[in-house]
PDB file of all heavy atoms in Angstrom:
ATOM      1  N   PHE A 381      -1.789 -22.415 -17.642  1.00 98.00           N
ATOM      2  CA  PHE A 381      -0.898 -21.247 -17.787  1.00 98.00           C
ATOM      3  C   PHE A 381       0.518 -21.773 -18.009  1.00 98.00           C
ATOM      4  O   PHE A 381       0.827 -22.912 -17.643  1.00 98.00           O
ATOM      5  CB  PHE A 381      -0.967 -20.334 -16.546  1.00 98.00           C
ATOM      6  CG  PHE A 381      -0.627 -21.025 -15.244  1.00 98.00           C
ATOM      7  CD1 PHE A 381       0.691 -21.130 -14.830  1.00 98.00           C
ATOM      8  CD2 PHE A 381      -1.625 -21.583 -14.446  1.00 98.00           C
ATOM      9  CE1 PHE A 381       1.008 -21.778 -13.643  1.00 98.00           C
ATOM     10  CE2 PHE A 381      -1.310 -22.229 -13.247  1.00 98.00           C
ATOM     11  CZ  PHE A 381       0.019 -22.324 -12.845  1.00 98.00           C
ATOM     12  N   PRO A 382       1.398 -20.987 -18.610  1.00 98.00           N
ATOM     13  CA  PRO A 382       2.765 -21.450 -18.856  1.00 98.00           C
ATOM     14  C   PRO A 382       3.606 -21.345 -17.571  1.00 98.00           C
ATOM     15  O   PRO A 382       3.501 -20.355 -16.842  1.00 98.00           O
ATOM     16  CB  PRO A 382       3.264 -20.504 -19.942  1.00 98.00           C
ATOM     17  CG  PRO A 382       2.415 -19.279 -19.829  1.00 98.00           C
ATOM     18  CD  PRO A 382       1.130 -19.648 -19.174  1.00 98.00           C
ATOM     19  N   PRO A 383       4.419 -22.353 -17.276  1.00 98.00           N
ATOM     20  CA  PRO A 383       5.106 -22.421 -15.984  1.00 98.00           C
ATOM     21  C   PRO A 383       6.120 -21.306 -15.744  1.00 98.00           C
ATOM     22  O   PRO A 383       6.378 -20.946 -14.594  1.00 98.00           O
ATOM     23  CB  PRO A 383       5.816 -23.776 -16.018  1.00 98.00           C
ATOM     24  CG  PRO A 383       5.880 -24.173 -17.461  1.00 98.00           C
ATOM     25  CD  PRO A 383       4.705 -23.523 -18.127  1.00 98.00           C
ATOM     26  N   GLY A 384       6.678 -20.726 -16.808  1.00 98.00           N
ATOM     27  CA  GLY A 384       7.655 -19.653 -16.620  1.00 98.00           C
ATOM     28  C   GLY A 384       7.004 -18.315 -16.317  1.00 98.00           C
ATOM     29  O   GLY A 384       7.681 -17.344 -15.994  1.00 98.00           O
ATOM     30  N   ASN A 385       5.681 -18.309 -16.387  1.00 96.00           N
ATOM     31  CA  ASN A 385       4.941 -17.075 -16.127  1.00 96.00           C
ATOM     32  C   ASN A 385       3.596 -17.431 -15.495  1.00 96.00           C
ATOM     33  O   ASN A 385       2.549 -17.300 -16.115  1.00 96.00           O
ATOM     34  CB  ASN A 385       4.747 -16.314 -17.449  1.00 96.00           C
ATOM     35  CG  ASN A 385       4.133 -14.948 -17.226  1.00 96.00           C
ATOM     36  OD1 ASN A 385       4.047 -14.472 -16.088  1.00 96.00           O
ATOM     37  ND2 ASN A 385       3.689 -14.324 -18.310  1.00 96.00           N
ATOM     38  N   PRO A 386       3.631 -17.905 -14.224  1.00 98.00           N
ATOM     39  CA  PRO A 386       2.393 -18.365 -13.577  1.00 98.00           C
ATOM     40  C   PRO A 386       1.365 -17.252 -13.385  1.00 98.00           C
ATOM     41  O   PRO A 386       0.201 -17.544 -13.117  1.00 98.00           O
ATOM     42  CB  PRO A 386       2.857 -18.910 -12.226  1.00 98.00           C
ATOM     43  CG  PRO A 386       4.336 -19.043 -12.312  1.00 98.00           C
ATOM     44  CD  PRO A 386       4.813 -18.087 -13.372  1.00 98.00           C
ATOM     45  N   GLY A 387       1.790 -15.989 -13.492  1.00 96.00           N
ATOM     46  CA  GLY A 387       0.832 -14.887 -13.488  1.00 96.00           C
ATOM     47  C   GLY A 387       0.597 -14.247 -12.141  1.00 96.00           C
ATOM     48  O   GLY A 387       0.422 -13.046 -12.046  1.00 96.00           O
ATOM     49  N   SER A 388       0.592 -15.053 -11.068  1.00 97.00           N
ATOM     50  CA  SER A 388       0.400 -14.481  -9.727  1.00 97.00           C
ATOM     51  C   SER A 388       0.797 -15.516  -8.687  1.00 97.00           C
ATOM     52  O   SER A 388       0.988 -16.702  -8.996  1.00 97.00           O
ATOM     53  CB  SER A 388      -1.056 -14.091  -9.507  1.00 97.00           C
ATOM     54  OG  SER A 388      -1.820 -15.244  -9.188  1.00 97.00           O
ATOM     55  N   GLY A 389       0.885 -15.040  -7.440  1.00 97.00           N
ATOM     56  CA  GLY A 389       1.242 -15.920  -6.330  1.00 97.00           C
ATOM     57  C   GLY A 389       0.261 -17.061  -6.139  1.00 97.00           C
ATOM     58  O   GLY A 389       0.588 -18.089  -5.560  1.00 97.00           O
ATOM     59  N   LYS A 390      -0.940 -16.883  -6.658  1.00 97.00           N
ATOM     60  CA  LYS A 390      -1.971 -17.904  -6.523  1.00 97.00           C
ATOM     61  C   LYS A 390      -1.595 -19.184  -7.279  1.00 97.00           C
ATOM     62  O   LYS A 390      -2.036 -20.271  -6.949  1.00 97.00           O
ATOM     63  CB  LYS A 390      -3.271 -17.323  -7.087  1.00 97.00           C
ATOM     64  CG  LYS A 390      -4.515 -18.113  -6.826  1.00 97.00           C
ATOM     65  CD  LYS A 390      -5.686 -17.241  -7.291  1.00 97.00           C
ATOM     66  CE  LYS A 390      -6.981 -17.867  -7.378  1.00 97.00           C
ATOM     67  NZ  LYS A 390      -7.599 -18.950  -7.361  1.00 97.00           N
ATOM     68  N   ASN A 391      -0.807 -19.038  -8.330  1.00 98.00           N
ATOM     69  CA  ASN A 391      -0.501 -20.169  -9.206  1.00 98.00           C
ATOM     70  C   ASN A 391       0.859 -20.811  -8.998  1.00 98.00           C
ATOM     71  O   ASN A 391       1.191 -21.761  -9.706  1.00 98.00           O
ATOM     72  CB  ASN A 391      -0.572 -19.713 -10.676  1.00 98.00           C
ATOM     73  CG  ASN A 391      -2.005 -19.491 -11.128  1.00 98.00           C
ATOM     74  OD1 ASN A 391      -2.937 -20.026 -10.534  1.00 98.00           O
ATOM     75  ND2 ASN A 391      -2.178 -18.682 -12.154  1.00 98.00           N
ATOM     76  N   ILE A 392       1.649 -20.289  -8.043  1.00 98.00           N
ATOM     77  CA  ILE A 392       3.046 -20.752  -8.022  1.00 98.00           C
ATOM     78  C   ILE A 392       3.188 -22.226  -7.653  1.00 98.00           C
ATOM     79  O   ILE A 392       4.211 -22.832  -7.955  1.00 98.00           O
ATOM     80  CB  ILE A 392       3.973 -19.877  -7.137  1.00 98.00           C
ATOM     81  CG1 ILE A 392       3.483 -19.823  -5.694  1.00 98.00           C
ATOM     82  CG2 ILE A 392       4.112 -18.483  -7.732  1.00 98.00           C
ATOM     83  CD1 ILE A 392       4.480 -19.106  -4.769  1.00 98.00           C
ATOM     84  N   PHE A 393       2.193 -22.804  -6.997  1.00 98.00           N
ATOM     85  CA  PHE A 393       2.288 -24.239  -6.700  1.00 98.00           C
ATOM     86  C   PHE A 393       1.265 -25.046  -7.511  1.00 98.00           C
ATOM     87  O   PHE A 393       0.836 -26.122  -7.112  1.00 98.00           O
ATOM     88  CB  PHE A 393       2.139 -24.487  -5.196  1.00 98.00           C
ATOM     89  CG  PHE A 393       3.181 -23.766  -4.376  1.00 98.00           C
ATOM     90  CD1 PHE A 393       2.815 -22.778  -3.465  1.00 98.00           C
ATOM     91  CD2 PHE A 393       4.531 -24.045  -4.551  1.00 98.00           C
ATOM     92  CE1 PHE A 393       3.774 -22.101  -2.720  1.00 98.00           C
ATOM     93  CE2 PHE A 393       5.497 -23.362  -3.822  1.00 98.00           C
ATOM     94  CZ  PHE A 393       5.125 -22.394  -2.896  1.00 98.00           C
ATOM     95  N   GLY A 394       0.865 -24.511  -8.669  1.00 98.00           N
ATOM     96  CA  GLY A 394      -0.106 -25.193  -9.526  1.00 98.00           C
ATOM     97  C   GLY A 394       0.547 -26.295 -10.368  1.00 98.00           C
ATOM     98  O   GLY A 394       1.759 -26.320 -10.576  1.00 98.00           O
ATOM     99  N   THR A 395      -0.301 -27.187 -10.871  1.00 98.00           N
ATOM    100  CA  THR A 395       0.166 -28.322 -11.685  1.00 98.00           C
ATOM    101  C   THR A 395       1.078 -27.916 -12.850  1.00 98.00           C
ATOM    102  O   THR A 395       2.086 -28.589 -13.104  1.00 98.00           O
ATOM    103  CB  THR A 395      -1.054 -29.108 -12.229  1.00 98.00           C
ATOM    104  OG1 THR A 395      -1.863 -29.443 -11.107  1.00 98.00           O
ATOM    105  CG2 THR A 395      -0.637 -30.375 -12.947  1.00 98.00           C
ATOM    106  N   PRO A 396       0.770 -26.845 -13.597  1.00 98.00           N
ATOM    107  CA  PRO A 396       1.673 -26.489 -14.698  1.00 98.00           C
ATOM    108  C   PRO A 396       3.112 -26.238 -14.232  1.00 98.00           C
ATOM    109  O   PRO A 396       4.060 -26.572 -14.956  1.00 98.00           O
ATOM    110  CB  PRO A 396       1.041 -25.216 -15.277  1.00 98.00           C
ATOM    111  CG  PRO A 396      -0.408 -25.338 -14.935  1.00 98.00           C
ATOM    112  CD  PRO A 396      -0.434 -25.981 -13.569  1.00 98.00           C
ATOM    113  N   VAL A 397       3.277 -25.645 -13.036  1.00 98.00           N
ATOM    114  CA  VAL A 397       4.634 -25.360 -12.538  1.00 98.00           C
ATOM    115  C   VAL A 397       5.392 -26.667 -12.313  1.00 98.00           C
ATOM    116  O   VAL A 397       6.545 -26.817 -12.732  1.00 98.00           O
ATOM    117  CB  VAL A 397       4.563 -24.529 -11.235  1.00 98.00           C
ATOM    118  CG1 VAL A 397       5.927 -24.441 -10.573  1.00 98.00           C
ATOM    119  CG2 VAL A 397       4.015 -23.132 -11.532  1.00 98.00           C
ATOM    120  N   TYR A 398       4.735 -27.633 -11.672  1.00 98.00           N
ATOM    121  CA  TYR A 398       5.394 -28.906 -11.366  1.00 98.00           C
ATOM    122  C   TYR A 398       5.517 -29.771 -12.628  1.00 98.00           C
ATOM    123  O   TYR A 398       6.608 -30.184 -13.003  1.00 98.00           O
ATOM    124  CB  TYR A 398       4.580 -29.679 -10.313  1.00 98.00           C
ATOM    125  CG  TYR A 398       4.683 -29.115  -8.920  1.00 98.00           C
ATOM    126  CD1 TYR A 398       4.087 -27.904  -8.581  1.00 98.00           C
ATOM    127  CD2 TYR A 398       5.352 -29.807  -7.924  1.00 98.00           C
ATOM    128  CE1 TYR A 398       4.171 -27.390  -7.292  1.00 98.00           C
ATOM    129  CE2 TYR A 398       5.438 -29.306  -6.620  1.00 98.00           C
ATOM    130  CZ  TYR A 398       4.844 -28.098  -6.316  1.00 98.00           C
ATOM    131  OH  TYR A 398       4.932 -27.593  -5.042  1.00 98.00           O
ATOM    132  N   ALA A 399       4.366 -30.063 -13.244  1.00 98.00           N
ATOM    133  CA  ALA A 399       4.358 -31.084 -14.311  1.00 98.00           C
ATOM    134  C   ALA A 399       4.863 -30.525 -15.637  1.00 98.00           C
ATOM    135  O   ALA A 399       5.736 -31.109 -16.275  1.00 98.00           O
ATOM    136  CB  ALA A 399       2.957 -31.661 -14.455  1.00 98.00           C
ATOM    137  N   ARG A 400       4.323 -29.371 -16.061  1.00 98.00           N
ATOM    138  CA  ARG A 400       4.818 -28.823 -17.337  1.00 98.00           C
ATOM    139  C   ARG A 400       6.246 -28.314 -17.169  1.00 98.00           C
ATOM    140  O   ARG A 400       7.036 -28.331 -18.113  1.00 98.00           O
ATOM    141  CB  ARG A 400       3.878 -27.712 -17.840  1.00 98.00           C
ATOM    142  CG  ARG A 400       4.282 -27.166 -19.193  1.00 98.00           C
ATOM    143  CD  ARG A 400       3.179 -26.296 -19.793  1.00 98.00           C
ATOM    144  NE  ARG A 400       3.690 -25.404 -20.821  1.00 98.00           N
ATOM    145  CZ  ARG A 400       2.945 -24.532 -21.490  1.00 98.00           C
ATOM    146  NH1 ARG A 400       1.634 -24.434 -21.232  1.00 98.00           N
ATOM    147  NH2 ARG A 400       3.483 -23.739 -22.395  1.00 98.00           N
ATOM    148  N   GLY A 401       6.604 -27.884 -15.934  1.00 99.00           N
ATOM    149  CA  GLY A 401       8.002 -27.527 -15.652  1.00 99.00           C
ATOM    150  C   GLY A 401       8.912 -28.725 -15.893  1.00 99.00           C
ATOM    151  O   GLY A 401       9.960 -28.616 -16.545  1.00 99.00           O
ATOM    152  N   ALA A 402       8.511 -29.894 -15.361  1.00 99.00           N
ATOM    153  CA  ALA A 402       9.306 -31.114 -15.569  1.00 99.00           C
ATOM    154  C   ALA A 402       9.300 -31.513 -17.042  1.00 99.00           C
ATOM    155  O   ALA A 402      10.315 -31.970 -17.583  1.00 99.00           O
ATOM    156  CB  ALA A 402       8.755 -32.246 -14.700  1.00 99.00           C
ATOM    157  N   MET A 403       8.161 -31.319 -17.701  1.00 99.00           N
ATOM    158  CA  MET A 403       8.081 -31.659 -19.137  1.00 99.00           C
ATOM    159  C   MET A 403       9.045 -30.794 -19.948  1.00 99.00           C
ATOM    160  O   MET A 403       9.633 -31.241 -20.935  1.00 99.00           O
ATOM    161  CB  MET A 403       6.646 -31.468 -19.648  1.00 99.00           C
ATOM    162  CG  MET A 403       5.663 -32.463 -19.033  1.00 99.00           C
ATOM    163  SD  MET A 403       3.945 -32.093 -19.484  1.00 99.00           S
ATOM    164  CE  MET A 403       3.803 -33.022 -21.006  1.00 99.00           C
ATOM    165  N   THR A 404       9.222 -29.541 -19.520  1.00 99.00           N
ATOM    166  CA  THR A 404      10.166 -28.644 -20.186  1.00 99.00           C
ATOM    167  C   THR A 404      11.577 -29.233 -20.126  1.00 99.00           C
ATOM    168  O   THR A 404      12.309 -29.237 -21.124  1.00 99.00           O
ATOM    169  CB  THR A 404      10.144 -27.253 -19.511  1.00 99.00           C
ATOM    170  OG1 THR A 404       8.802 -26.760 -19.519  1.00 99.00           O
ATOM    171  CG2 THR A 404      11.069 -26.275 -20.209  1.00 99.00           C
ATOM    172  N   LEU A 405      11.943 -29.748 -18.947  1.00 99.00           N
ATOM    173  CA  LEU A 405      13.268 -30.353 -18.825  1.00 99.00           C
ATOM    174  C   LEU A 405      13.373 -31.608 -19.685  1.00 99.00           C
ATOM    175  O   LEU A 405      14.425 -31.906 -20.254  1.00 99.00           O
ATOM    176  CB  LEU A 405      13.564 -30.681 -17.354  1.00 99.00           C
ATOM    177  CG  LEU A 405      13.811 -29.458 -16.470  1.00 99.00           C
ATOM    178  CD1 LEU A 405      14.013 -29.875 -15.012  1.00 99.00           C
ATOM    179  CD2 LEU A 405      15.038 -28.673 -16.956  1.00 99.00           C
TER     180      LEU A 405
END
Side-chain angles (χ1 to χ4, degrees):
F381 57 86
N385 187 12
S388 79
K390 190 172 169 348
N391 287 338
I392 58 173
F393 301 117
T395 306
V397 170
Y398 286 71
R400 184 168 160 181
M403 293 173 89
T404 304
L405 289 177

